[in-house]
Structure formats: C-alpha cells, structure tokens
Amino acid sequence: EGIKASKGCTDIICCILLLVAIVGYIAVGVVAWTQGDPRKVIYPTDSRGQFCGQAGTPNENKPFLFYFNIVKCASPLVLLEFQCPTTQICVEKCPDRYLTYLQASTGGAASEELKYYEQFCVPEFKNRKKVSDAPEVLKDDLCPAMLTPSKPLARRCLPAVSSKKGVIMVGNKTTFNDGKGHERNVTELLEGAKKANVVLEARQVAMKIFEDYTVSWYWIIIGLVISMVVSLIFIVLLRFLAGIMVWVMIVLVILVLGYGIFHCYMEYAQLKGQAGSDVSLKELGFQTDLRVYLHLKQTWLAFMIILCIVEVVIILLLIFLRKRILIAIALIKEASRAIGHIMTSLLFPLCTFFLVCLCIAYWASTAVFLSTSNEAVYKVFNETECIYARTTCNPETFNTSNVTKVCPSARCLFAFYGGESTYHKYLIIFQIYNVFMFFWLANFVIALGQVTLAGAFASYYWAFKKPDDMPAFPLFSSFGRALRYHTGSLAFGSLILAIVQVIRVMLEYLDHRLKAADNKCAKFFLTCLKCCFWCLEKFIKFLNRNAYIMIAIYGTNFCTSARNAFFLLMRNIVRVAVLDKVTDFLLFLGKLLIVGSVGILAFFFFTQRIKVIQDTAPPLNYYWDFFSEDLERNDGSPERPYYMSPALSEILLKGSLESSKSAESQE
C-alpha cells in the first residue's frame, strides 16, 4: 500500500484566494511602475529637486552633491526630515582645499581662487556684477561661506577625515575658518557629516557589494558552478561510499576549521605592532568599507575564537553521537539510493531557486517603484525659531511670500518625495501588501518544491519492487499532482507562515522605532513578542514541511495532513529528534566542507575579500516520515513486510530496541 490516489482538489477556497491576491499584486506592480521613478534612488537630489549626474540634464557632468555648510547637518532636524537645513548643489568634483569666500573675492573677479570658488556657487552667482560684496552674496546664499577638503561618499561631498596618533584631522588641520571670521574645530565637520550620512550607511554598503558583484560576477558564477558540481559528485558518491564519505567528510571539516584557526592566528600575529591595529571594534564603529575591519587584530581574534568554539562543539558532538552516526549513515545511503533512481531531483531545486529569485526580483522592483512614486516636496528650513519652519513651500514664489518677511534667513529647500493625493496616502498600504505577497509567494514556491520532492521520493519508497513499480517520470508526476490537486493546500500552509512573518517584520520595525526610547517595560514586552513569534515561525515551518509530505502521500487537505503529521511525529518523537538531527548534522558538515573550501578559495582569489557562496545541494531529509510510517504500518512479517531495505530495517529496529531498553532502565 503506497501513495494514495488523489480523490480531488483540496482547500479550493485558498486556491481561489491566492489567484485573486496574485491578480491584485500584478495590479499594484503595474501602478507602481507607471508612477515610480527609480532615478530618485540612484541619483542624489539638490535643493531644487534636480538629479545630480543624470544624463540629458544640465547636471549631467555634475555627479556629486555639495553641502554649503555641512556643520548645519548636525542639527536634530536631519533625523526628523532626512534633510540638511543648508543649500545643496550638484558639482563636478568635491573641493580639495580650505578656502573662504572672503579670501577668494579679495583678488577680484579675475582671480584664480574666485574662478575655482565659482563652481561651488549657485548658477545665479555668475550673473552678478559685484563679486566683492561678500555679505550680500552670503546673505542671499549664492555661495558657501567656506570650502573644506572633501571626498565623495555615495556621491556626496563629505569632509576628508584622517587620523594621526589619535588626533582627528580634515585636510591635515584640526581647525578651520568658517568664513565668518571664527576658528572652529574639525570635529564639528565630522558631526555634521555623520548626520548627513545617517540614511546613506546601509545604501553605501549595498552599493559597494553591488559594485563588487558587477566587476566579478563571472568569477562568482564560476565559484557557484564549482560548488554545485562538487555537491552533485558528493551526493552521487554517497550512494556507493556513504560510510567512507561521511567519515572522510568529518575529518576534512575538522582540518578545514583547523586551518581557519591557524590562518586567523597568523593574521593576528602579523598585525602585532602595526599602527592602528589595536583599535577595538567598538571604537571603530560601523564602517561602509568592510575591508577596514581586516586590518584590526580584534577582528582576527574574534574569527579565531568563533572557529575554535565551532571546532570544539563539532568534536564533542561526534564523540557523544558516534553510535547514532552509524544509523544516520544508513539513512543517507537509502536517500542516496533513491536519488540514484530519481536523478532529476538533483536539478529540481534549481527550479525552486529560480522561482524564488523571480519573487525577490518582483518584490524589490515593486518596492523601489512604490517608494519613488512620490512628488518633490519643498519645506521651509530656518536656523532659528520660525513659525513657518518645516511647512511646505513653493520655491518659485518663495522669495515674494510672507515667509521671508517674518523669517529673513528662511529658505525653501527640497525636503523629500511625497504627495497629498489619494494614491500617495495609500502608498504605505501598498508597501505592506507588497511585503505580504512576497512572503506568501516565496513560501508557496518553497512548499511546491517540498511537496514535489516528497511525492517523488514517496513513489520510490512505497514501491515494493524498485524501480519496476515506480512511475516512468516520478518527479514530473509528483509536480503535476501538486499543481492539479493541492495548490489550495500549499497556499493555505504558506499563507499561515506569511502572516507570522509579516507580524515579525512589524515587530522588528517597532523595535527599531523604540530604540531611542527609555521605556524598558515596552522594550521587554516587545522582546518577548519577538521571541515568541520567532519560535512560532520555526514550529510552523517544521509542521508545514511534514504536512506537505502527508499531502504528497495521502492527498488529504492541509489541516488533516498537518494533524496526522503532528501525531505521527509525537509517536516517534525520540527517533525523529535524535536521528533526524544527527542526519541534518552530517549533511550540514557536508555543506560546511563544500562552502568552506570554495569560500577559502574565493578569499585568496579575491585578495582578502570575503565571499559567501551558498551550496545548492538538494535537501535529503524527507525520509524519516516514510520510515516512521513504514514502522507503524508494517511489522516485517510476510503478510506486512517493510518497504525499507533489510539492512536499514535491521539498524533501525536495533536502535529502537536500545532506546526502549534505555528508557525502561531510567524509569
């Protein structure tokens, strides 16, 4: 008695709900793509809402954003509006020297210093006839009062900070002239740069990673292909040399970790005595250039400690689980034998990976278009108290408005992209729906892959005469059954998981918002909620995977399958907890060996650039549900023979007998 024939479609309501949700998701995407403008993310924007460095515009050759007074960016207003209360213009290059407007204008209109200074003034400055009238120029905000040596960071000109013997400098100076006759400390520039960069840090890291991928993508693909080929060879060899392969793999993992510990120690010893290597990670803080951390002794010490802990944990687990490893090897042999009869299962995870990538691409592109589908909003910025501060304004009519009379130093600057229309008011709802649908579709794709593989391997396991009793194309047959009969059940399971994941995202958002608050009770309550929903997500993932196996075998709906899977696991809790985790541990060692080897190769190849290469080996842990069901259905007699191989049944029954005797002796 093997796989039950599907009697009809299961969970039809959830199937219809998924289709309606997908149609709505497509509609949201179409609206976002027609309204959005990704240039708002790619290019920095000046005070007039113009993009810097965009082709076909007056700023085409001006890719960098320059702040007239970076010190004003230290204002708390930056954290509220994500905008500095100072004029910002697009420039060809960042200033490379200290210079004030008073100094530049003393030589007259023909002086070289003033010609250099002009490129950091607004275009209207060139139309002025009097350049020596410095107070009026600075009052009208036509030019910055001062220039400081700067370097571009995320296409923004920020102070060129350096450090000598613990002393912070900008352009080899510790003080600067603010253009108004006052000497100020460069730490004020640094504080302003930090606030101006508050929303750029994460983007800069992403941009650096993206740039690394764009220049080395073909080598990364080669590394992925190598890891995939090694994984396939590894799985094929497991079929014939499982015992030897597992023990060789264990030894190699220990050796690779040992070499990692040795390499970290050598790097740590090499950095001894080098200037700047004694700076702690806490003192350095977050840096967008991750290579900076590789020049610190503490980084390599942390790597070495982590690898030592992992090495010791693995050795201790091997010592205490040596008997269970033999049973796990038998399970792996059986799984490898099944893969030998269903070779297409090795390539099917690539289809799942491709579909998940499509979900990620659609979600990311929709999120970008939604976030950039706003209109330019201008607000009043003022250094002192002003009743019109942070109110919206029109830059074209601002100079003739009543605001300039009440607040003479106020300016109408580009603040952010937003809007007051009905569409703009519901943008946050569209973003939440985008995130929710991403989780739902991604979970559905993963569920489809799990139930397809489970059905294919079930057709192998429950075939009494292997491979004669198996269908001609077990993987394609299982895939067809899953789509035809069980789309609703897969949608149901993935919907429950998606709801929990969205709640977790909202809790993370609330936690981020409460970081600056001093309400310890709220923080404690939020931490407890995060922990509970994390556990709930893990449990649902585990239950869903086993429910999908029951769906593949019996063709029942999701709730029935989940209930049957849960009680089956409870009746075999000791076997599942020990053997399943031991098998997972051995497979994890295989992944660790392949990923670690390719990662070390990439590390040396890219000259101290760490690359994380993920293994694409297909999961092999579907089988314990089959074994548990087989042990419950049958007793090994001629009337009810086991479907598993004789060698495997002997090992499992022996393990079960030892476990029961151990439990009785403890009682």
Side-chain angles (χ1 to χ4, degrees), residues 428 502-515 526 530:
I428 185 64
V502 169
I503 294 175
R504 287 196 63 204
V505 170
M506 291 181 176
L507 290 175
E508 290 292 340
Y509 174 75
L510 290 175
D511 184 49
H512 178 74
R513 294 295 298 270
L514 288 174
K515 278 185 177 179
L526 191 60
K530 287 170 60 179

Side-chain angles (χ1 to χ4, degrees), residues 77 91 126 128 151 164 177 246 255 292 354 436 468 562:
L77 185 65
V91 296
K126 295 181 180 179
R128 289 183 66 91
K151 290 183 179 179
K164 290 185 178 180
N177 189 318
V246 168
L255 291 177
V292 173
F354 175 73
F436 169 73
D468 298 336

Side-chain angles (χ1 to χ4, degrees), residues 352-384:
T352 302
F353 174 76
F354 175 73
L355 291 175
V356 171
C357 287
L358 283 181
C359 293
I360 295 174
Y362 188 90
W363 162 77
S365 59
T366 303
V368 169
F369 276 91
L370 281 173
S371 62
T372 58
S373 59
N374 293 306
E375 301 170 348
V377 175
Y378 298 85
K379 289 197 173 186
V380 176
F381 290 92
N382 197 58
E383 298 179 40
T384 59

Side-chain angles (χ1 to χ4, degrees), residues 224-238 245 346 590-591 594-595 598 614-618 620:
L224 289 171
V225 171
I226 291 174
S227 62
M228 186 179 71
V229 171
V230 172
S231 301
L232 295 179
I233 295 174
F234 179 79
I235 293 172
V236 172
L237 289 178
L238 279 178
M245 285 286 294
L346 293 175
K591 296 177 182 179
I594 296 171
V595 174
V598 177
Q614 295 182 349
D615 179 31
T616 55
L620 302 176

Side-chain angles (χ1 to χ4, degrees), residues 569-627:
L569 293 172
M570 289 299 101
R571 291 193 296 269
N572 299 274
I573 187 66
V574 176
R575 293 171 179 168
V576 173
V578 177
L579 293 182
D580 186 54
K581 293 308 172 185
V582 170
T583 307
D584 285 344
F585 173 66
L586 293 179
L587 293 176
F588 167 75
L589 291 183
K591 296 177 182 179
L592 188 64
L593 174 62
I594 296 171
V595 174
S597 302
V598 177
I600 290 174
L601 177 64
F603 177 81
F604 287 109
F605 184 82
F606 288 104
T607 60
Q608 294 187 337
R609 184 177 295 170
I610 300 174
K611 296 292 179 183
V612 181
I613 300 178
Q614 295 182 349
D615 179 31
T616 55
L620 302 176
N621 50 0
Y622 286 108
Y623 293 96
W624 183 248
D625 290 72
F626 301 155
F627 299 143

